[in-house]
Structures are given as C-alpha cells and as structure tokens.
Amino acid sequence: MRARGESKGTAEEKGNEKEKGNEKEKGNEKGKEKDGERKRRRLRIDYPRAGRRGLRRWLPSWRQLLLAAAGAAGVLAGWLAWFYATTAVPADLNAFATQQNNVYFWADGTEMARVGETNRQEVPLDQVPEPVRWAVLAAENESFYSDPGISVQGMGRAVYEMATGGDTQGGSTITQQYVKNIYLNQRQDFSRKLSEMVIAIKLDHRMSKGDILAGYLNTSWFGRGSYGIERAASAYYGKDVSQLDPSQGAFLAALLKGAGQYDPALGAENRKRAEERWSWILDRMVTIGRLSPEERARYTVFPEPKPQQKAAGMSGQIGYLVDTARAYVESHSDITPAQFDLGGHQIRTTFEKPRVEALAAAVREATKGLDPEHREADKLVKVGAASVAMDGRIAALYGGADYLKQGYNDANTSTVPVGSAFTPVVYAAGLTQGVLRRRGEPRAPVQPTTTYDGDNGVNVMTPEGPYWGRDGKVVKTANEGLRSWGPVSLRGAVEQSVNGPMMQLGMDVGLDRVQQTAADLGLLPVSMGELTPAFGTGNSTPSAIRTAGAYTAFASGGTRTEPYSVLSVSRNGAALPLRLPAPVKALDPGAAREVDTALRGAVREGSAHTAAEAGADVAGKTGTTADRTAGWYVGYDGRAATAVTLFRADLRDMKLLSLEGLGGAAPDVPDSAVPMRIWTDYAKAVR
C-alpha cells in the first residue's frame, strides 16, 4: 500500500515538475519573445509612438529629437564640407571686366551715344595714405586684420536678414566684399552668400591682408564711373590718392556704402547723408585709435568734392536722354549702378531722333526773341518739354539748352506748378465721382452741361459754408485776367479756361477724391500740392513727362501706360531682363471721352485756338498760375501727348520768378502763349 502510495506521490510530483518545467519553458520563450520585440523596436523608429494616445502619440520623445538633430547636423556638416571642397577660388583674382562703352540707340536702332569707358587705375597699397586706409576700415570692417575673412556675428546677421527678406550687405567683411567685386555680381541669394563666405575664408589663407585690402580698394566702385580709389580721388578731388587727407578719405569711404546715395552732386538728401556718414567715420577712427582727438578737431568742415564733369558727346539734348534712359534701366532691372559703369551694355531707347530734333528746334524758334541782356523779364528763362506716345513711350524730351551747360533736366522738374492745365483732371473727377454740396445729402452727379458761376471773385464754398483762409478771410475765385463770365457750363469752363468754376468743382467733388484721380492718371504723390482750394487750379508740381502721360488717358478712352524710356537692354549681345509697364485703366471711358471733347473744343474755339494750326485732330489745354510764375501748354494728336512748361528761376535758390513782360509782351498776353507756340510748331513738324 505504501509502495503504491509512494509511487502515486512520485508520479504526481513528476507531473508537477513536468508542468513547472513546461511553464518555465513557456516563460523563457515569452521572455525571449519580449527580448526580441525590444530588439526589433530598437531597430525601428517608434513613431507614431506605440502605447500613447492623443497628442502624446504624435509628440516625439527626447531621444527621437536628439537622434533627428544629430542626423540633421551630420547631413549639414557633410554638405558644408562638400560645398567647401568643391567651391573654387577664381583662377585670376585680378581679372576684371573688359573696359568698354555703354552704347545707347535711338528707337529706330541707329546709334545715339557712347558713354564710357570704365574709369579704373590700380595703385599699390603703400601709395594709399594710412589714415585713408583706416577710414575705409573704420567704415566697413575695423576687425579686418584679425578676422578669418568672415565675421561670424555678421554672417549670422546676414543669414537672418536673408531669411526675413532684409538687407544682406551688413554681414560682409572687406574680404567678402572683395570677392563680390571680382565676381562682378552683387546678387545676394543664399547660394551666392555662402559661396562668398567660403571663398573669403580660402582667400584669407592664401593671400596676405595687405594684398586683399589693395585688391578691394582697386576694384570697389565709388560712383562717377570710377572703379578704384585712385580714380575716385581724381573724380571727386582732382588729385592722386596719395595726396588725400583723412577728411577726404572719410568721404570716399562713405561712398562705399552706395555712391548713388552719398554723392552730394546728386541732391540735397545725398548731401545730408554724406555729411552724417563722413562725420561718423572720423569719429569712429578716433574710437578705434586711428585718429587722435586733436587731429579730428581739425576736420569740422565737410570736404566738398568738385562738380562732376560731363562726358564728351553728351552735348545738346543727348545728355538728358542718356540720363533718363540710364535711370530707367537702373530702376526697372537688376543691373546696379556699379555694374552699369562696367560698360558693355546696349540700351535701345524709346527716343525718336526726328521728334527730339523737332522739339529742340521749336523751342529755339519760340524763344529767339528773348533778350536777357537788355530785358530783366527775359533772364533765367527755362523750358522743359516731353512728348509721350499713347502706349507710354517717351518719344522726345527737351531738358534744357545744353546738357554740358545745365545738367538738370527741366522736362523732369518737380518744382513748377502746373496751373490751370490741371483742370481737366478736376473735370474728370467730377464726372466720375459726382459732387457733395451739402453735408448729409447724397452725392449728386454732374454733366458737361452742369452750370457754375463763372464770375470773378466768387466765394469758395464747402458743404458747411464759405472756405476761410489762413488769413482769416473767405477765399474767393480768381479767373485769368480777373474776367467775369457769368453762368458757364463745366465743359465751357474747360474750353475757355475759366478757373473759378474748376476751383469750386474741386471743392464740391472733394479735394481728396480729385487727388486720387490725379494719382490714377499717373501724377506722383510727391508732386501733389496742398489740399486747399488752389489744388483745383493746379498748385501741384508734376513734371512735363508725367503731365503728358496723364493726358494720354484722355485721348485713349481712359487707358494709360506709365511713361518709359527704354525698349530693351543687353550686355555684349545677350538680352537682360527689363521690367516694362503694362496698360492700366485710369479713368472711366465715358468721362475720358467727355474730357477729350472739351479739350478739342478748347482748340477749335476756346483758349487754345491758336494751336489749331497743327491740324484738325488736335486737343489741348493752356496752363497759367495766379502768381504768373509758370506757363504751360499740354496737348495731343492721335499719336502722342506733349507737355511744354516755361518758367523763370533764381539759380541761387530755384525760387520761381514772375513771367510778366516776358519777351516784351503786353500784360494781358497769357503766360501760356510761348509754350503753346512751341507745342504748335513741334506738332506741325512731326505730322
């Protein structure tokens, strides 16, 4: 019995042990499975993350973030190493663009002018006075002698500026700027900036600092067509660079920031910027220990550069045409002034030689009776004129008697009030916007037949009542010659140049609305006059170019195109991108037709009747001012609109002088008589 019991127990124990063994084996197998799963999970990216729910499932772990960052850093480091290794330094660092002319062509493709060559001359570094060198370094890169060719801080700033669309120039060292100079390419995208940095680092290892600085000074653009500091010293001060003092050196250093913005000869704003930067550079030289305070105290007067010399072959009207075309290229293409001065460009302009010559001849004929030696009223007379085709092409300009004697282009002046030649703009605004005569009432439409009081000395009204001037008096209308016309239609007021109704119409429409119509027609905001009653009768000062461009809309059913002076530009035969304007709707077609009707009526039987000599299909408007400081005539035929302005200006401050008695004319002769004569002779010559 015991034996059987023992056998039974032993069997049970064996069974239990077997079961335990099986369970252990199963546990081991499960452990192995878990270990395998863990290994497999280590081998794959657990993303989206298992065992997580909601947002946590999609948030990477810190290990995953570190892994991604390390991978990105490795890829970036590898790419940078590859980029560094494959970016080559140009074989000939002193290779420079072939010095050649920029050639300008008339609209018909015949040659108009050649301008150039590039003005460049290399000098050894030891011929540049040390204070002049340090003026450049103080302005551009004071750590030049200690940096590795790039500035880490500047590089970071440049990358940030590129990413945010800002100016990348601030991150460039002298070495980097030298690289840009020898590349002859100022484009600033990320690839170019990175190439520039890599080459700058390599150059810093291959070349001495002295050689880099010499290369930079000899290849930098200083304006006035000058490349290199030797030619700049000659262009601005008429001397060799070795003769410059620290003050003059500081001014030339200021030009490196952008000669077009710092040459005082280019305007009052340039002068202000130049003086401020010149003073800052001298102060900076003191701060970095390269100029003593005692020597700085000697330089308190801005070192005035000499006037810019005019290039040969630019006499007569050619210089005005070339300047106008160049300005258009620089503002409507990616060509910088520095690149333009390298030469090699072919510029086909919109200017038509027969029209340019006819316009100049008409001015000479109409003004030949002036006698400035014996008649005070004939002194300091200036004429500006522009002829703009219906598609926006500037076909002709008259900028002055001779570009070599007067460089300023009177066709582009923005200091002469347009006077009553502005009233068609007011008329157009009234036809499209309607009028508001009483506050709280709806705007009322007006028609060409709408009648206004044409008497002289009528109170100017606002929706609230009379308009009070700053002198404490009610402003009154003033017609030319103080003539009273009685009731007159708006069309009749334009035809006969009755200013009073136009002044009141401007107030009724709303001067801000008239201003917007003027802007739509292409008059620039900077030329707009003060929004007082005089705004309606032309206190604005648009150029002849812009005024002619505005009138093209009246002749073209309300469509106009921004005036432009260049058809195409190429370099060494390869076409370069040029942004040309497209037609835009500036005015309601019905309103444009009504203005056109009034302007044709002005020629047939109105204030511009003498212009009818030019043909039956012409239209136009005279322009005079209340103070008699300007005379205008603006008119058009089927092909172009032409604006002519005449004025007198004191050369000391450009203050406008009275035109009364011009050419010995009687007091009742309108100031628009000579401009209308010029326009008529020109229009007859080019028919």
Side-chain angles (χ1 to χ4, degrees):
M1 295 292 293
R2 186 176 299 174
R4 283 197 296 268
E6 287 177 357
S7 298
K8 184 178 180 180
T10 301
E12 288 177 356
E13 288 175 1
K14 288 181 179 179
N16 290 337
E17 289 176 0
K18 187 176 181 180
E19 288 179 4
K20 288 180 182 179
N22 291 337
E23 289 177 0
K24 186 175 182 180
E25 288 178 6
K26 290 179 181 179
N28 290 338
E29 289 176 358
K30 289 182 180 179
K32 289 178 181 179
E33 289 178 0
K34 289 181 180 179
D35 289 343
E37 179 65 21
R38 281 195 290 268
K39 289 179 181 179
R40 286 193 294 272
R41 288 178 62 183
R42 289 193 193 103
L43 293 175
R44 69 178 178 86
I45 298 175
D46 183 22
Y47 192 83
R49 298 171 68 190
R52 305 293 194 280
R53 294 188 179 185
L55 181 62
R56 294 184 62 194
R57 176 174 171 78
W58 300 98
L59 291 176
S61 68
W62 64 269
R63 291 187 182 87
Q64 291 171 334
L65 289 174
L66 287 177
L67 180 63
V75 171
L76 179 60
W79 182 80
L80 288 174
W82 171 84
F83 193 90
Y84 184 89
T86 57
T87 300
V89 177
D92 183 5
L93 293 177
N94 293 316
F96 212 64
T98 302
Q99 297 185 17
Q100 52 192 313
N101 293 319
N102 287 320
V103 185
Y104 294 81
F105 297 91
W106 295 102
D108 64 4
T110 57
E111 186 175 312
M112 181 174 74
R114 287 179 176 265
V115 181
E117 298 174 345
T118 300
N119 190 5
R120 188 173 74 93
Q121 179 180 344
E122 291 190 11
V123 292
L125 188 61
D126 59 12
Q127 290 187 23
V128 182
E130 187 173 356
V132 175
R133 283 181 255 163
W134 275 105
V136 171
L137 294 175
E140 297 293 315
N141 183 193
E142 65 186 56
S143 63
F144 169 72
Y145 283 106
S146 60
D147 66 41
I150 63 170
S151 165
V152 176
Q153 181 180 4
M155 182 171 62
R157 183 169 62 249
V159 171
Y160 172 78
E161 291 292 347
M162 279 189 289
T164 58
D167 180 14
T168 63
Q169 299 297 323
S172 296
T173 63
I174 290 287
T175 309
Q176 289 173 262
Q177 292 182 53
Y178 178 38
V179 170
K180 283 188 290 190
N181 289 348
I182 61 178
Y183 260 129
L184 311 181
N185 187 337
Q186 302 297 312
R187 191 182 80 248
Q188 286 297 300
D189 55 28
F190 183 79
S191 175
R192 165 58 69 202
K193 193 71 178 178
L194 192 57
S195 295
E196 171 195 303
M197 293 174 183
V198 169
I199 295 174
I201 294 171
K202 290 186 175 183
L203 278 187
D204 195 71
H205 283 86
R206 295 186 187 184
M207 298 175 64
S208 69
K209 289 289 188 178
D211 287 343
I212 292 173
L213 182 58
Y216 172 73
L217 293 175
N218 283 317
T219 58
S220 291
W221 182 68
F222 289 85
R224 298 192 180 184
S226 300
Y227 276 86
I229 198 166
E230 172 66 13
R231 290 292 86 202
S234 176
Y236 289 94
Y237 293 112
K239 58 177 66 174
D240 291 335
V241 67
S242 61
Q243 299 172 307
L244 294 178
D245 62 34
S247 179
Q248 294 165 334
F251 167 69
L252 294 186
L255 294 171
L256 291 168
K257 193 172 178 65
Q261 299 293 314
Y262 290 87
D263 184 349
L266 301 180
E269 288 298 318
N270 275 30
R271 170 173 295 280
K272 180 181 178 182
R273 282 190 290 265
E275 291 190 18
E276 289 176 351
R277 187 155 179 82
W278 160 78
S279 180
W280 177 84
I281 290 171
L282 289 174
D283 290 341
R284 192 65 191 162
M285 290 176 69
V286 174
T287 300
I288 65 176
R290 296 298 171 174
L291 189 69
S292 69
E294 294 75 21
E295 191 170 13
R296 171 65 180 93
R298 292 168 46 193
Y299 303 120
T300 58
V301 178
F302 182 68
E304 194 69 39
K306 68 178 186 177
Q308 184 173 2
Q309 293 182 341
K310 301 294 191 299
M314 299 279 276
S315 61
Q317 298 304 304
I318 298 299
Y320 303 118
L321 305 180
V322 166
D323 278 359
T324 301
R326 172 171 178 153
Y328 190 85
V329 169
E330 290 179 358
S331 61
H332 291 80
S333 74
D334 296 328
I335 304 170
T336 67
Q339 291 170 328
F340 205 86
D341 277 345
L342 290 173
H345 297 90
Q346 298 82 43
I347 304 96
R348 187 167 180 176
T349 73
T350 60
F351 304 123
E352 300 175 20
K353 187 176 182 179
R355 282 183 173 269
V356 171
E357 292 178 343
L359 187 54
V363 173
R364 288 194 299 270
E365 179 65 24
T367 57
K368 68 180 182 181
L370 301 183
D371 187 4
E373 293 185 6
H374 301 95
R375 190 182 294 126
E376 185 68 24
D378 292 354
K379 294 180 178 179
L380 305 173
V381 174
K382 296 180 176 294
V383 176
S387 191
V388 179
M390 296 304 167
D391 61 0
R393 291 176 295 107
I394 304 175
L397 288 179
Y398 182 87
D402 190 335
Y403 178 80
L404 296 183
K405 297 178 181 178
Q406 174 196 302
Y408 186 74
N409 185 352
D410 287 327
N412 204 32
T413 185
S414 57
T415 59
V416 182
V418 69
S420 51
F422 185 78
T423 56
V425 178
V426 182
Y427 184 39
L431 293 171
T432 55
Q433 305 272 358
V435 296
L436 178 65
R437 295 193 178 95
R438 295 287 183 275
R439 191 67 64 196
E441 295 182 0
R443 298 186 72 85
V446 295
Q447 304 296 329
T449 55
T450 300
T451 299
Y452 271 70
D453 190 342
D455 284 345
N456 187 70
V458 176
N459 289 348
V460 175
M461 304 298 291
T462 72
E464 288 78 21
Y467 184 94
W468 294 83
R470 292 172 181 169
D471 59 359
K473 298 178 181 180
V474 175
V475 175
K476 298 179 181 295
T477 61
N479 292 332
E480 187 174 326
L482 305 182
R483 177 180 174 181
S484 290
W485 292 77
V488 61
S489 70
L490 290 178
R491 179 187 293 163
V494 174
E495 293 176 343
Q496 301 299 333
S497 197
V498 186
N499 292 338
M502 291 294 107
M503 180 179 285
Q504 184 59 58
L505 177 62
M507 299 297 292
D508 292 346
V509 173
L511 298 180
D512 57 338
R513 291 172 179 254
V514 176
Q515 183 185 57
Q516 183 58 56
T517 298
D520 292 342
L521 289 168
L523 303 191
L524 299 177
V526 294
S527 72
M528 300 292 186
E530 187 178 5
L531 295 185
T532 65
F535 185 78
T537 50
N539 66 0
S540 297
T541 58
S543 68
I545 297 173
R546 286 284 168 176
T547 305
Y551 270 59
T552 62
F554 303 143
S556 302
T559 299
R560 72 170 186 89
T561 303
E562 283 283 300
Y564 64 103
S565 57
V566 178
L567 295 169
S568 64
V569 59
S570 59
R571 189 166 195 274
N572 297 328
L576 300 176
L578 181 69
R579 296 183 289 275
L580 295 177
V584 296
K585 181 182 178 182
L587 193 63
D588 176 76
R593 286 192 295 270
E594 289 297 347
V595 176
D596 176 66
T597 298
L599 295 178
R600 293 182 184 278
V603 174
R604 283 196 308 270
E605 53 193 14
S607 61
H609 63 276
T610 60
E613 297 176 25
D617 61 341
V618 300
K621 180 71 181 70
T622 57
T624 57
T625 61
D627 60 359
R628 304 202 64 177
T629 56
W632 287 75
Y633 186 75
V634 191
Y636 53 83
D637 56 18
R639 294 175 295 169
T642 303
V644 182
T645 179
L646 181 145
F647 57 98
R648 296 175 61 225
D650 189 323
L651 298 180
R652 294 170 298 183
D653 55 10
M654 293 307 293
K655 180 181 179 181
L656 298 181
L657 306 173
S658 174
L659 292 173
E660 186 172 358
L662 179 74
D668 61 343
V669 174
D671 298 327
S672 58
V674 174
M676 186 157 49
R677 182 76 265 160
I678 294 170
W679 187 94
T680 304
D681 289 348
Y682 165 69
K684 289 164 62 178
V686 298
R687 287 188 69 82

